[in-house]
Structure formats: structure tokens, C-alpha cells
Amino acid sequence: MSTPLDGVRVVDFGQFIAAPAATQILADLGADVIKVEPIHGESSRSIGIYGDAILRNYNRNKRCIALDLKDVRGQQVARELIAGADIVVQNLRPGVMDSFGLGAEQVRTAHPDLIYATVTGFGLHGPSKYRAGLDIAAQAESGIMWVTGEADREPQRVGFPVVDAAAAHVFAQAILGAYIRRLRTGDGDTVETSLLEVAVHLQGPNWGEYLLTGNDPVRKGNGQATVAPAADVMPTRDGAIVVSAYSVVHFDRLCNLLGHPELASDPRFETNESRVRNRPALLEELRSEFAKMTSDEAMTLLTPNGVVAGRISSYREVHKNPDVEAAGIFIDVTDPTGVEHTTLGSPWHLHSIPRFSTTGAPALGQHTVELLTELGYTAAAIDDLATTGVVCSRKA
């Protein structure tokens, strides 16, 4: 069965998350993704379990070649790989690919029909162009940490690399847009995004309010600044749920379900504005009722009646959630040594792709010999490159 990107070749010079996660999307859409790593391996291979998790989640069904791009022979191999590609993706520090003769301008001059895509920390056009850019720096400088946490406590980061993950989806979306344009016109394109841009864009509603009022949002922990109850935590007998019911219809319904219809007409709570002003009193009233229930009882009361609520779940509970199980986002794959493990698939479904690949992330240099052979290198030439340290061809 043909896939949307069947026959498309991607050369991926990415490391860590933003670029490899974007090319993982392309791989799941059927592209042949060639992961190009340094001969000592990309940075994720040397940082323990966190790095192993990154490799497993974002490098399934890719082929790996390990090259010394500081050597002119390694650069030549890279150029040959690029010559047969449709898309090149990279997230190395600005200037690094140019120093290898593999930058966007150099590559697109040689191959005008190619898509060359770069994701950076702070963009390619501002004063921070050459700064190291990781997720946490983007969270800090975009305002995300400014609005995350309790009002009287220090700013908090979101508890996972949210900007890296979001940037990968934005990046893949832009790459696919450029590729569709190429199919229509025959012209390639240069694609750019940055963690900082994505981090700002993720906060659209907050920025909308700021641009309307000129007022900085403030940290308030849970709850939303201008609506109530919204994203408010309700402790239960055995855990906690989160509830949002700020429209007139939903707040009335919530009050009736809790057996206190009078709260909807209480002057402190009768409008959204009054509920926001009196949020502590509102939460005291609501929490006293939810404290009598288990989380299951609360969810059974609210969700069939159209009130938005969610059980605050541990990872163990999420893994066993029947809706998560039905979605099939956890998939079983086989690593290069033949060992099976569970990892994440892409969070979407195309009926033309019945199942994501069950091939795990490649070992460093696993496909070096295979790819060099495809490029026309003889066995003797490959051995010479390996013995002189230009390529790594370990199988595990």
C-alpha cells in the first residue's frame, strides 16, 4: 500500500528533538529518512536514559550513516546523499553546516528543486543567531515561564520539553507545505523556524489579551485569569480532577449537578466577571462538594452532562487509560539487537497507513555500508573510509 511520502528521500542532520522529531513525522508518512550522525554519535547517545528516550521516540524506521563531516571525504559523501534527496533537514548551530560546504545557500544553488529546512534556537536573523538554544531558554525568553507557576513562587518551566515538541510539528508542517509547492511548481524552497518563534506562538490567547490591553499576564498557578471556574483543580477523596465550566449554561449545570442551584444566582458568582473576582470563595464552595466524591464518581457525574472535566493522572494511569489504549499511540518496536520495547507513535491517523513501522531507532552507523553501496562505493572504498575514521559502520 502506497504512503503519502512514498519515494521521498529525506537527509536528516538533526540532533536531540526538534529536527529528528519532525523527520519522524515524515518517516511515519512513508519517507525514506537517512539519519546522518557524527562518527561518535549524536549528542543524545551520550546523556543516559534521557538521551535514550529521545532516540527511541524520534528515530524509528530511519536509516543511519555515521560520517566525519570535518573530513572532505565525509563532506563528499554527504553531498552525494543530498544529491539524491528531496528534503534536507538540520538543526546544527548556525554556521556549522556552512563550514562543511553544506549550508542552505550552497546546497540550494547546486539543487534548486530541493527543500532545505533549518530549525534553530533563536532564528537566523537576530542578534542571538549564534547562541545555543534549547527548550528551556525558549520557555524563559518567550514568556512561558513568566506565566507558569504560583503567583508568590518562582517561575516554573512546563514539565517536559514542550517547545521542542511543538517546534517539531510546526517544522514538519512547513516542510510539507514547501514540498507540496514543489510538486506544483517544480521549485525548491528554504524553510526556517525557531524555538523562540514557536514558543511565542503557542501562547496565542495570552498574547491576544496582552496586545488588546497592554497588561502583562501574571502567574496564578491553576485557573485562567479571565474566566472561572476554568482549569481549576478540585481535590477528591482519592485524587483530584480539573474542571472548566465558565459559560452561563455550563456554570448553571455544574451548580445543579452538585445539588446547589442557588450558587448560580449568588451575587458573588452570577456572572463570569464576579466569579473571577471571587474565585477563592467560589473554589471553597465547589471543592467542599468534590471532596465528598472519588475521582471516578466526579467524572461520572460531570462528563455525561457536558461539563468539561479531566482526571489528573499519573503516567502509569495514562498508560492504562482506555482512550489512550484505543488511540494506539504506544507502539511496540524491535531495536537493532532484536529486543522489543514500547515507544510512542505519531499522534494522528491516516486510513491509508494502517500501522506505523515496528522498526526501532537505528544503531549508530547501522546502515553506513548499505547507503554507501547504494551510492556506488566499492567494498574496498568503504573499508578505506572506515579504517581512516571517515565513517562508522558499527552494527549495534
Side-chain angles (χ1 to χ4, degrees):
M1 183 176 292
S2 110
T3 58
L5 296 184
D6 192 23
V8 174
R9 176 163 289 188
V10 180
V11 180
D12 174 10
F13 293 90
Q15 301 193 30
F16 286 117
I17 296 176
T23 58
Q24 181 63 73
I25 294 169
L26 304 182
D28 282 341
L29 288 169
D32 175 18
V33 178
I34 299 169
K35 181 178 179 65
V36 180
E37 295 190 54
I39 56 171
H40 51 76
E42 73 139 287
S43 299
S44 293
R45 293 192 186 272
S46 61
I47 56 174
I49 192 167
Y50 181 62
D52 291 342
I54 289 172
L55 288 165
R56 284 187 173 191
N57 279 333
Y58 302 127
N59 293 281
R60 292 178 291 101
N61 201 34
K62 297 180 183 180
R63 297 195 286 170
C64 178
I65 184 170
L67 300 174
D68 180 2
L69 292 178
K70 295 179 181 178
D71 188 297
V72 293
R73 294 169 295 171
Q75 295 165 11
Q76 178 59 28
V77 173
R79 278 191 285 271
E80 292 173 19
L81 289 170
I82 289 169
D86 302 284
I87 299 166
V88 172
V89 174
Q90 66 100 2
N91 66 343
L92 303 184
R93 189 86 61 88
V96 172
M97 289 292 280
D98 298 275
S99 73
F100 299 147
L102 303 171
E105 184 175 351
Q106 298 148 309
V107 167
R108 293 223 43 242
T109 297
H111 307 286
D113 62 340
L114 190 136
I115 310 300
Y116 192 104
T118 301
V119 56
T120 60
F122 299 96
L124 293 172
H125 308 287
S128 296
K129 172 179 177 178
Y130 295 108
R131 282 177 57 192
L134 295 178
D135 176 278
I136 188 58
Q139 287 199 40
E141 297 199 16
S142 67
I144 289 177
M145 289 185 66
W146 180 267
V147 298
T148 305
E150 299 288 343
D152 58 347
R153 305 292 294 274
E154 66 179 18
Q156 296 287 310
R157 73 176 184 92
V158 177
F160 62 97
V162 60
V163 180
D164 274 337
H169 289 279
V170 171
F171 198 30
Q173 173 182 306
I175 291 167
L176 290 169
Y179 184 70
I180 291 170
R181 177 178 176 273
R182 191 184 94 157
L183 294 177
R184 295 170 57 206
T185 67
D187 296 328
D189 212 336
T190 301
V191 176
E192 299 173 10
T193 192
S194 70
L195 301 186
L196 182 62
E197 291 170 85
V198 171
V200 171
H201 193 268
L202 281 173
Q203 301 168 77
N206 282 13
W207 278 104
E209 291 181 6
Y210 171 79
L211 295 170
L212 282 168
T213 67
N215 298 325
D216 261 322
V218 296
R219 290 190 302 282
K220 346 180 10 103
N222 294 308
Q224 292 176 226
T226 58
V227 285
D232 286 300
V233 173
M234 305 293 167
T236 63
R237 281 166 39 202
D238 60 352
I241 65 169
V242 64
V243 175
S244 285
Y246 47 84
S247 71
V248 172
V249 171
H250 287 142
F251 184 66
D252 285 351
R253 189 175 300 164
L254 175 64
C255 295
N256 281 310
L257 289 170
L258 293 177
H260 289 280
E262 73 282 359
L263 291 177
S265 57
D266 187 313
R268 298 173 298 169
F269 312 135
E270 60 185 350
T271 68
N272 178 65
E273 291 76 11
S274 63
R275 291 194 295 275
V276 170
R277 286 196 304 271
N278 296 290
R279 189 188 297 267
L282 173 66
L283 294 182
E284 184 177 354
E285 296 282 357
L286 297 179
R287 285 173 173 170
S288 68
E289 295 304 315
F290 284 109
K292 303 171 185 176
M293 311 177 200
T294 65
S295 293
D296 281 346
E297 289 169 345
M299 294 295 291
T300 300
L301 176 69
L302 299 180
T303 56
N305 290 290
V307 176
V308 175
R311 182 185 290 101
I312 298 175
S313 302
S314 68
Y315 274 41
R316 184 179 300 277
E317 290 168 329
V318 173
H319 198 189
K320 295 178 179 179
N321 182 310
D323 292 306
V324 173
E325 289 181 340
I329 194 163
F330 291 105
I331 61 175
D332 294 325
V333 301
T334 304
D335 72 15
T337 65
V339 175
E340 289 191 357
H341 63 264
T342 301
T343 188
L344 291 171
S346 286
W348 41 261
H349 305 273
L350 271 67
H351 286 192
S352 60
I353 306 176
R355 183 176 176 84
F356 294 124
S357 165
T358 56
T359 302
L364 176 63
Q366 180 180 344
H367 302 95
T368 296
V369 172
E370 175 183 312
L371 289 163
L372 289 174
T373 301
E374 289 179 9
L375 291 174
Y377 284 74
T378 65
I382 295 170
D383 285 342
D384 180 62
L385 291 174
T387 56
T388 55
V390 178
V391 303
C392 169
S393 58
R394 292 196 297 270
K395 297 185 182 301

